[in-house]
């Protein structure tokens, strides 16, 4: 059996950044910190992360500047791209268990899941993850939806001892720097009062989170399954801080 830890950025609400954070954190951990990762795309039927990897591989074949980036990346870290594979949601639990029991060197298996709680397969997979991080934007609807989701996971799954879930944490995402910081502190206190906890890292609202691998040689890459975020774009994104906090929570060593 491997020592793989299963991690998911999960929320019942769409558009909160689950898939984006999965790619950004996986790529930073792998290419910059040497953590062995893989992504299991269970988000049927679109399988957007598998589609993203396939598009990037196609662009790699067609564009010389991306080929040059890949050559430089390989020389720097000596790593081939980490695995990304799709799995139908209906068979995701069996695939997850098989992967965990298999012979592999993956330290973190990231699962990309649909944004819903009204699916038994999603709840089964969530309960068999080791850690779940729930991105939450600072709007009334997002907060209410996310807190309800996390309360259900915490109260009906984690504390009941069903499955493998060790911890569920809320991640403040898409934070506007102009908003009051004390407001988030008040929300954090409320969450603690109902048994939930927010991560120390908060992520800003920034257009860079939408910046993928480009066919334009002048554009720097932020989100990619083949490359880490460009160093000039990492500053102020807090992705590096988030990756390190996740390692601290999970107890995984890197390097």
């Amino acid at each position: 059996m491997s020592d793989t830890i299963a991690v998911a950025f999960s929320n019942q609400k769409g558009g909160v950044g689950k898939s984006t954070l999965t790619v950004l954190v996986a790529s930073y951990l792998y290419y910059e910190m040497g953590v062995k990762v893989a992504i299991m795309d269970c988000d049927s039927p679109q399988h957007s992360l598998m589609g993203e990897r396939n598009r990037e591989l196609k662009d790699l074949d067609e564009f010389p500047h991306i080929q040059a980036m890949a050559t430089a990346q390989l020389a720097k870290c000596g790593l081939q791209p980490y695995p990304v594979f799709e799995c139908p949601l209906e068979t995701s639990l069996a695939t997850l268990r098989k992967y965990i029991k298999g012979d592999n060197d993956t330290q973190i298996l990231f699962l990309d899941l649909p944004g819903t709680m009204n699916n038994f397969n999603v709840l089964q997979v969530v309960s068999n993850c080791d850690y779940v991080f729930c991105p939450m934007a600072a709007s009334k609807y997002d907060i209410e939806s996310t807190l309800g989701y996390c309360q259900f996971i915490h109260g009906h799954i984690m504390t009941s001892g069903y499955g493998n879930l060790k911890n569920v944490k809320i991640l403040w995402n898409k934070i506007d720097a102009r908003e009051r910081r004390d407001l988030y502190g008040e929300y954090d206190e409320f969450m603690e009062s109902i048994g939930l906890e927010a991560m120390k890292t908060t992520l800003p609202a920034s257009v860079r989170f939408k910046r993928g691998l480009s066919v334009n040689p002048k554009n720097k890459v932020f989100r990619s399954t083949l490359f880490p975020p460009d160093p000039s774009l990492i500053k102020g994104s807090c992705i590096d801080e988030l990756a390190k906090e996740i390692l601290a929570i999970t107890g995984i060593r890197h390097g």
Side-chain angles (χ1 to χ4, degrees):
M1 180 179 293
S2 69
D3 295 322
T4 305
I5 289 176
V7 170
F9 290 99
S10 181
N11 197 317
Q12 66 176 339
K13 187 179 183 304
V16 294
K18 301 184 297 293
S19 297
T20 294
L21 292 175
T22 298
V23 172
L24 285 169
V25 173
S27 293
Y28 188 85
L29 286 173
Y30 182 71
Y31 297 114
E32 293 292 345
M33 303 187 73
V35 178
K36 299 296 179 62
V37 306
I39 293 178
M40 180 172 144
D41 184 350
C42 310
D43 193 7
S44 304
Q46 60 268 25
H47 292 295
S48 59
L49 296 191
M50 189 72 252
E52 183 172 347
R53 166 56 66 83
N54 290 335
R55 286 192 302 273
E56 290 187 326
L57 290 176
K58 183 175 181 292
D59 289 341
L60 176 61
D61 287 337
E62 294 182 5
F63 295 96
H65 75 281
I66 299 179
Q67 295 168 9
M69 289 171 57
T71 299
Q73 175 69 19
L74 182 60
K76 176 185 175 182
C77 67
L79 297 171
Q80 296 291 339
Y82 56 81
V84 178
F85 60 97
E86 69 177 59
C87 173
L89 181 60
E90 294 74 16
T91 62
S92 55
L93 178 59
T95 302
L96 171 61
R97 287 174 170 170
K98 183 178 180 180
Y99 194 96
I100 296 297
K101 293 179 180 179
D103 183 17
N104 64 77
D105 63 353
T106 302
Q107 293 172 276
I108 302 180
L109 175 64
F110 288 96
L111 290 90
D112 191 43
L113 298 167
T116 180
M117 192 168 63
N118 299 319
N119 188 301
F120 182 66
N121 292 300
V122 172
L123 295 178
Q124 277 194 318
V125 174
V126 166
S127 69
N128 280 273
C129 288
D130 293 285
Y131 299 91
V132 170
F133 304 110
C134 300
M136 181 172 74
S139 72
K140 184 176 184 295
Y141 178 75
D142 283 357
I143 291 171
E144 291 178 352
S145 176
T146 303
L147 291 182
Y149 180 69
C150 291
Q151 277 187 292
F152 180 86
I153 293 175
H154 185 272
H156 293 273
I157 296 178
M158 194 178 83
T159 58
S160 69
Y162 175 77
N164 300 320
L165 193 58
K166 299 177 179 65
N167 206 340
V168 53
K169 284 181 174 283
I170 291 169
L171 170 62
W172 284 109
N173 190 29
K174 301 181 180 181
I175 301 303
D176 190 331
R178 297 168 295 181
E179 294 175 324
R180 289 169 41 213
R181 298 301 305 172
D182 59 336
L183 180 63
Y184 296 107
E186 293 172 7
Y187 276 126
D188 288 346
E189 290 179 6
F190 171 72
M191 286 187 282
E192 289 179 10
S193 72
I194 59 175
L196 299 175
E197 185 179 10
M199 300 181 74
K200 296 177 182 178
T201 305
T202 60
L203 301 177
S206 173
V207 295
R208 82 187 82 181
F209 285 86
K210 299 179 181 179
R211 186 176 294 186
L213 185 63
S214 175
V215 298
N216 186 339
K218 295 182 180 180
N219 291 343
K220 295 178 180 179
V221 61
F222 189 63
R223 166 181 166 156
S224 172
T225 71
L226 300 182
F227 303 100
D230 188 275
S232 66
L233 298 176
I234 274 288
K235 186 177 180 180
S237 72
C238 297
I239 289 298
D240 48 349
E241 297 175 21
L242 176 60
K244 293 170 184 176
E245 184 174 358
I246 288 175
L247 292 186
I249 291 170
T250 60
I252 291 176
R253 297 179 179 273
H254 66 90

